[in-house]
Amino acid sequence: MVTHDSRKKTGRYWDEYVETLSDSEIQALQFYRLKQTLERVSSCGFYQKRFKEMGLDISALECLEDLSRFPFTTKQDLRDAYPYGFLCEPKERLVRLHVSSGTTGQATAMFYTQKDLESWADLMARCMHMTGARPGDTFQNMMGYGLFTGGLGFHYGAERLGLLTIPAGAGNSKRQVQLMRDFSTTVIHIIPSYALHLMDVMAEMGVDPKRDLELRIAYTGAEPYSEEIRQRIQDFYGVKTYNSYGLSEMNGPGVAFECPEQTGLHIWEDSYLVELIDPDTLEPVREGTVGELVLTSLRREAMPLIRYRTKDLTRIVRGHCPCGRKHRRLDRIQGRSDDMFIIKGVNIFPIQVEQVLMNIPEVGNNYLIVLQRENNVDQMTVRVEVTDRTFIEDMRHLQRIQKKITHELKGELLVTPRVELVEPSSLPRTEGKAVRLVDERKL
Ligand code: ADP
Ligand code: ZN
């Protein structure tokens, strides 16, 4: 008899049965797991109270659409119930704690049972296997280990898949390059803004990855980044770069991941239920239009969340993927609804600025948007690092380059920013998620 487990680790699928479920099979599985999850959460303080106030009866759930009667969960709810208000398991069954990065305020705490860690590692192995990583590969994980989910999440997935795993952690750039050389690293996991920084370090060290290293696959995620940055990373390192999406509230990474077709990120619908809503009306958006991603975890034991509002803006890519997986695809995340800023009445996302900048060859690998109020008028300044070459060879032309950048930004954004060109590697860097925007109007 072919058991479920023996089908794993073969051919192009890590878990062929789950990855190739049909639409109706996925929905049936989701309905079964949704009921289980709702029963589970009705024992936790937060949901028990909410469901009671709203007069919700879980046994009346007849189809997946009925979930729309249930309340949303927000990051603020998690903060209010910090630390244990969402727990569905006694403390003796918990084996791990992670904390979100705290990008938008007080961080939230997540708990995991042994089974949660196993299903998370399995999802991560599925993601990496999908991109062609295999035993024999050396995987260098350049994400912060510790409370952040990006480090340990990938770590256990990579070991489960059978990759030789180097827990390099974040930062310490020269050592990262040394490790890549000494152990012939083939697969890396790296924050996109750090991948850009590491390019400058390698250039300084005289290392050309295409000539001197054996890299072939990169996983990049944890922060929004444009297609233009993906191109820069691919071109410089000579790798195929896969977008990786996740959030602590849903385990961490491994929620949605690109396949080799790179036409969107497959969201693992056996584990997560997807909705996309209009953040103002809270109504579902038409399939194919951009909305806020709302997720319900279907397999978590310790701390499942119902209709969690991620604030991340994306859309569903229509149609089925040629790779054979029916799990729907998310488009590249544009950013969080919180990232949007308004200047002179125009709504702008930092990623729009990035798309323009990264298409200009004289622009280096870092930028910063600063918003100020001068004489009651909003002013937007974009500080742009130029490339080493531009800095050395094109000093006389800096004014022309500045004008060109201003012109192109104005064309895209419809407001005219002030553009300041700065030396390579002169803007502040973080080891974690990049800070792209400083809004001094709020100070
Ligand atoms: P925090 O929400 O405090 O940053 P997390 O570490 O849990 O804490 O980060 C999850 C968030 O990171 C997501 O909600 C999303 O905004 C962002 N993110 C993760 N992966 C990607 C990606 N591939 N593209 C864009 N944004 C991403
Ligand atoms: Zn695919």
Side-chain angles (χ1 to χ4, degrees):
M1 197 178 87
V2 180
T3 66
H4 184 83
D5 233 355
S6 67
R7 270 184 251 171
K8 287 185 173 181
K9 303 171 187 65
T10 56
R12 54 202 276 229
Y13 302 106
W14 168 255
D15 191 340
E16 182 161 2
Y17 174 71
V18 171
E19 289 176 61
T20 59
L21 287 171
S22 68
D23 293 348
S24 60
E25 285 169 332
I26 289 179
Q27 281 162 15
L29 180 63
Q30 286 188 321
F31 184 66
Y32 173 76
R33 288 188 172 159
L34 177 62
K35 274 210 138 178
Q36 266 186 342
T37 300
L38 286 171
E39 268 155 32
R40 174 170 283 280
V41 300
S42 51
S43 71
C44 99
F46 176 84
Y47 287 115
Q48 202 170 45
K49 187 160 167 275
R50 272 277 161 98
F51 290 0
K52 201 165 165 210
E53 280 164 4
M54 296 175 74
L56 289 167
D57 175 10
I58 295 162
S59 58
L61 190 91
E62 284 178 354
C63 58
L64 285 173
E65 287 69 35
D66 286 349
L67 180 64
S68 65
R69 298 207 300 264
F70 284 77
F72 291 108
T73 310
T74 64
K75 210 163 188 121
Q76 193 54 47
D77 293 329
L78 295 177
R79 286 174 181 147
D80 294 344
Y82 180 88
Y84 297 126
F86 275 86
L87 266 191
C88 295
E89 288 288 339
K91 264 170 111 180
E92 309 84 80
R93 292 208 64 233
L94 307 177
V95 296
R96 176 86 70 77
L97 161 79
H98 277 290
V99 166
S100 71
S101 309
T103 311
T104 57
Q106 189 207 313
T108 52
M110 295 297 131
F111 302 93
Y112 304 71
T113 62
Q114 193 69 53
K115 199 165 157 217
D116 288 335
L117 292 183
E118 276 163 25
S119 55
W120 184 21
D122 199 61
L123 276 176
M124 284 313 311
R126 192 195 292 180
C127 294
M128 288 185 262
H129 184 278
M130 175 166 70
T131 66
R134 293 288 183 276
D137 272 309
T138 300
F139 171 63
Q140 190 165 326
N141 193 10
M142 294 187 262
M143 287 278 167
Y145 273 69
L147 291 171
F148 177 52
T149 53
L152 289 173
F154 265 82
H155 183 98
Y156 285 102
E159 288 188 348
R160 193 179 189 98
L161 175 56
L163 310 182
L164 168 56
T165 304
I166 309 180
N172 214 343
S173 304
K174 290 196 172 140
R175 178 132 177 82
Q176 299 281 7
V177 180
Q178 192 64 43
L179 289 169
M180 286 178 190
R181 263 187 176 152
D182 293 353
F183 304 106
S184 306
T185 300
T186 49
V187 183
I188 54 174
H189 177 211
I190 186 163
I191 290 191
S193 52
Y194 185 64
L196 294 176
H197 172 59
L198 200 61
M199 286 182 196
D200 294 343
V201 176
M202 284 193 184
E204 222 173 84
M205 293 169 76
V207 172
D208 173 357
K210 285 193 267 201
R211 184 192 60 206
D212 306 325
L213 303 175
E214 309 211 6
L215 303 177
R216 60 184 195 92
I217 295 177
Y219 305 125
T220 51
E223 65 184 13
Y225 65 107
S226 56
E227 186 58 35
E228 287 71 14
I229 284 197
R230 187 220 297 262
Q231 282 309 327
R232 281 189 180 213
I233 295 172
Q234 298 202 142
D235 292 348
F236 182 84
Y237 292 100
V239 290
K240 191 153 173 179
T241 301
Y242 295 93
N243 199 348
S244 151
Y245 171 78
L247 59 161
S248 322
E249 292 80 0
M250 296 286 139
N251 280 330
V255 175
F257 217 85
E258 273 182 328
C259 71
E261 301 292 330
Q262 295 188 311
T263 51
L265 296 84
H266 286 286
I267 178 145
W268 297 123
E269 295 194 89
D270 58 307
S271 303
Y272 303 100
L273 194 77
V274 191
E275 296 173 80
L276 277 169
I277 61 162
D278 177 322
D280 297 323
T281 64
L282 306 184
E283 291 297 321
V285 297
R286 253 184 313 118
E287 182 152 323
T289 46
V290 173
E292 177 183 336
L293 182 66
V294 172
L295 294 173
T296 298
S297 54
L298 296 174
R299 282 167 81 199
R300 290 201 17 93
E301 282 192 335
M303 202 172 155
L305 296 180
I306 304 299
R307 307 191 81 201
Y308 180 69
R309 291 190 56 185
T310 65
K311 295 209 168 180
D312 292 326
L313 300 174
T314 181
R315 64 183 185 94
I316 298 280
V317 177
R318 285 169 191 272
H320 281 141
C321 185
C323 80
R325 295 172 182 86
K326 301 288 187 318
H327 300 250
R328 283 179 295 167
R329 285 160 297 163
L330 299 181
D331 200 2
R332 174 182 293 284
I333 311 288
Q334 292 186 357
R336 305 180 204 232
S337 48
D338 301 333
D339 293 341
M340 192 192 76
F341 60 91
I342 303 180
I343 191 113
K344 295 178 181 161
V346 181
N347 298 352
I348 299 175
F349 280 94
I351 204 161
Q352 291 175 270
V353 175
E354 179 175 301
Q355 279 163 346
V356 172
L357 295 179
M358 294 298 153
N359 265 319
I360 302 176
E362 293 91 346
V363 169
N365 286 332
N366 202 0
Y367 68 94
L368 180 70
I369 304 165
V370 183
L371 307 178
Q372 288 154 317
R373 183 162 289 140
E374 291 169 9
N375 305 322
N376 285 325
V377 180
D378 284 346
Q379 181 66 48
M380 171 180 172
T381 304
V382 185
R383 295 200 182 119
V384 183
E385 285 184 9
V386 293
T387 61
D388 275 325
R389 189 188 175 135
T390 303
F391 189 67
I392 296 159
E393 294 176 14
D394 283 341
M395 274 303 258
R396 282 171 295 132
H397 306 302
L398 286 186
Q399 215 181 355
R400 182 182 56 73
I401 295 167
Q402 189 183 27
K403 272 200 183 143
K404 172 164 124 181
I405 297 175
T406 311
H407 177 76
E408 300 216 356
L409 283 172
K410 188 185 172 197
E412 164 69 24
L413 310 175
L414 308 174
V415 291
T416 311
R418 196 182 278 159
V419 171
E420 289 175 10
L421 300 185
V422 300
E423 273 186 54
S425 307
S426 63
L427 291 173
R429 308 239 172 219
T430 60
E431 276 189 1
K433 304 184 186 212
V435 178
R436 299 298 193 194
L437 178 74
V438 176
D439 194 345
E440 294 180 356
R441 300 175 302 180
K442 292 181 181 156
L443 296 179

